[in-house]
Amino acid sequence: MLVLGVESSCDETAAAVVDETGFVHSDVVESQVKLHAQYGGVVPELASRDHLRNVAFVVREALRRGNTTLEKLDAIAVTNRPGLVGALLVGVQVAKGLAWAQDLPLVGVDHLMGHLLAVFLRRKETDPDGPAYPFVCLLASGGHTAIYRVNGPSPEAITELGATRDDAAGEAFDKVAKLLGLGYPGGPVIDKLAASGDSSGIKFTLPMAGRAGFEFSFSGIKTQVANHVAKYGKPSGPNAEKALADLCASFQEAATRVLSEKLVAAAESEGVTRIVIGGGVAANRELRERVTRLAAARGMTAHLPPLASCTDNAAMIAYVGAQRAVRGERDGLDLVATSATVLARRTRKGRGDR
Ligand code: KG4
Ligand code: ZN
């Protein structure tokens, strides 16, 4: 089954052709990062307009690189939730148009399910198969941070074990980078700077880190970094480079420690030995090292998708869509774009008592 996936939920316009086994025939991502960088974050209206400008090219390119045509497809999958509604609508309308014109099944896909199942994507014949079910997955991106037990590839088979009560982990990377004048998005640049830094001098503590349970809070660490900068000033002078690297390393240490430790603790409490990470923050080098190390120490197997599968892409959307299509599920042309996930939530945002 050959499925075209379309993704436009945030600031990447993407299209991909994937089959139901997870093999990626093409994977095209057109990033809007430069467009939003000057504002320090995603501007929704600009995102919608840019999706509109790029979506036709991206779809055509995915078909061309996948060495296929619309006639050869078996279904069209599209992210219809959660995300910026104006941005989502662009992909949804394009997918509807293509499905109607080609008389193909249309399947709406939850973006979070895409991240959770991106570990099943294979780009080369030699790439490893994904994990067996069940597994426990940390999803950490710019908009979401939560740990899930995944029993299978459908929303009913996925349980949230804990989520952030406030900011997402990626949001914390972005806000700290903004504070330090490092530009947007913050994750990759902090990751790079932290590599040459020393985290032992400054200790940041995450509010929920010492607590049992699998909930997170990331807004406090941003304030701690802001307080540090207010007290000592932004790194400047002859040692600025070193001071900046140390600050980034300290922040990254605190953030990746809590993410990796809670992931492993959640898997342990579920009696599950397979752990997975997904979402943009899963591209972080230190997080990947920590998860690998902790898994080895506890006799667990860590499945770390390659970087291209962690950040936003349409291949993961096509894969989840293929699983729906295989089950015979279909959406009509009345498919709506919505900002809410289909996955059941347990953690309330903005809950006090940290
Ligand atoms: O999954 P994603 O591409 O889009 C969303 O669905 O949000 O995640 C984007 C987020 C941004 O906050 C970005 O700063 C973060 O992922 N990110 C990283 C890294 N690469 C991207 N965070 C930490 N380290 C990285 N290497
Ligand atoms: Zn995402």
Side-chain angles (χ1 to χ4, degrees):
M1 178 172 275
L2 212 51
V3 178
L4 171 73
V6 181
E7 154 68 41
S8 68
S9 66
C10 190
D11 60 347
E12 260 92 32
T13 319
V17 177
V18 173
D19 62 38
E20 83 283 6
T21 71
F23 193 76
V24 179
H25 296 253
S26 68
D27 180 14
V28 181
V29 182
E30 178 64 33
S31 174
Q32 303 180 353
V33 156
K34 284 204 188 86
L35 175 70
H36 301 290
Q38 55 186 311
Y39 305 102
V42 179
V43 183
E45 183 57 26
L46 294 182
S48 311
R49 286 167 193 260
D50 209 52
H51 285 310
L52 212 46
R53 258 192 297 273
N54 293 327
V55 69
F57 166 77
V58 164
V59 166
R60 258 190 230 115
E61 200 52 20
L63 294 171
R64 191 186 68 77
R65 289 189 209 170
N67 203 15
T68 189
T69 58
L70 284 173
E71 289 73 28
K72 292 187 192 148
L73 297 174
D74 297 296
I76 311 265
V78 62
T79 308
N80 74 313
R81 63 198 307 172
L84 304 168
V85 172
L88 286 166
L89 272 172
V90 176
V92 167
Q93 291 306 111
V94 166
K96 282 182 185 175
L98 292 173
W100 179 77
Q102 294 294 326
D103 200 16
L104 284 170
L106 172 72
V107 278
V109 171
D110 189 288
H111 183 84
L112 303 188
M113 286 200 52
H115 280 306
L116 291 175
L117 303 186
V119 67
F120 292 103
L121 296 175
R122 286 174 303 113
R123 290 181 165 76
K124 294 192 298 287
E125 292 294 350
T126 49
D127 282 352
D129 287 340
Y133 292 107
F135 59 83
V136 170
C137 182
L138 166 73
L139 194 177
S141 72
H144 303 272
T145 294
I147 298 175
Y148 297 90
R149 179 187 173 113
V150 183
N151 288 337
S154 60
E156 312 76 54
I158 299 174
T159 315
E160 182 193 292
L161 303 174
T164 181
R165 291 181 177 187
D166 41 57
D167 290 358
E171 202 176 342
F173 274 88
D174 294 339
K175 286 179 176 170
V176 167
K178 193 171 179 180
L179 198 78
L180 299 174
L182 299 174
Y184 172 86
V189 54
I190 289 182
D191 193 349
K192 193 156 168 250
L193 285 170
S196 58
D198 173 7
S199 64
S200 60
I202 317 163
K203 282 282 166 251
F204 295 124
T205 45
L206 272 146
M208 300 288 295
R211 287 274 206 97
F214 313 118
E215 295 183 359
F216 301 97
S217 168
F218 281 99
S219 65
I221 192 162
K222 180 188 67 198
T223 312
Q224 287 174 49
V225 177
N227 289 344
H228 182 91
V229 169
K231 194 164 171 194
Y232 300 100
K234 255 190 210 172
S236 64
N239 291 326
E241 215 170 293
K242 168 92 176 67
L244 189 61
D246 290 352
L247 199 52
C248 288
S250 302
F251 160 73
Q252 184 173 278
E253 198 262 351
T256 58
R257 177 191 292 275
V258 70
L259 290 168
S260 54
E261 288 182 352
K262 292 217 173 197
L263 168 62
V264 170
E268 214 150 55
S269 88
E270 290 293 309
V272 169
T273 57
R274 289 171 290 269
I275 55 177
V276 173
I277 55 177
V281 181
N284 185 271
R285 191 189 41 82
E286 184 171 356
L287 180 67
R288 297 172 78 88
E289 281 171 13
R290 282 181 182 277
V291 169
T292 306
R293 226 182 305 133
L294 285 178
R298 313 270 181 110
M300 296 179 178
T301 314
H303 298 262
L304 312 182
L307 303 198
S309 297
C310 292
T311 47
D312 280 353
N313 65 83
M316 65 187 192
I317 303 305
Y319 178 73
V320 176
Q323 307 312 302
R324 288 200 63 200
V326 164
R327 293 196 295 270
E329 296 171 14
R330 305 275 183 273
D331 283 303
L333 292 177
D334 56 352
L335 178 70
V336 292
T338 154
S339 59
T341 176
V342 72
L343 300 176
R345 291 187 130 159
R346 277 193 184 174
T347 307
R348 264 188 299 129
K349 268 210 161 189
R351 216 162 102 191
D353 179 32
R354 288 175 191 133

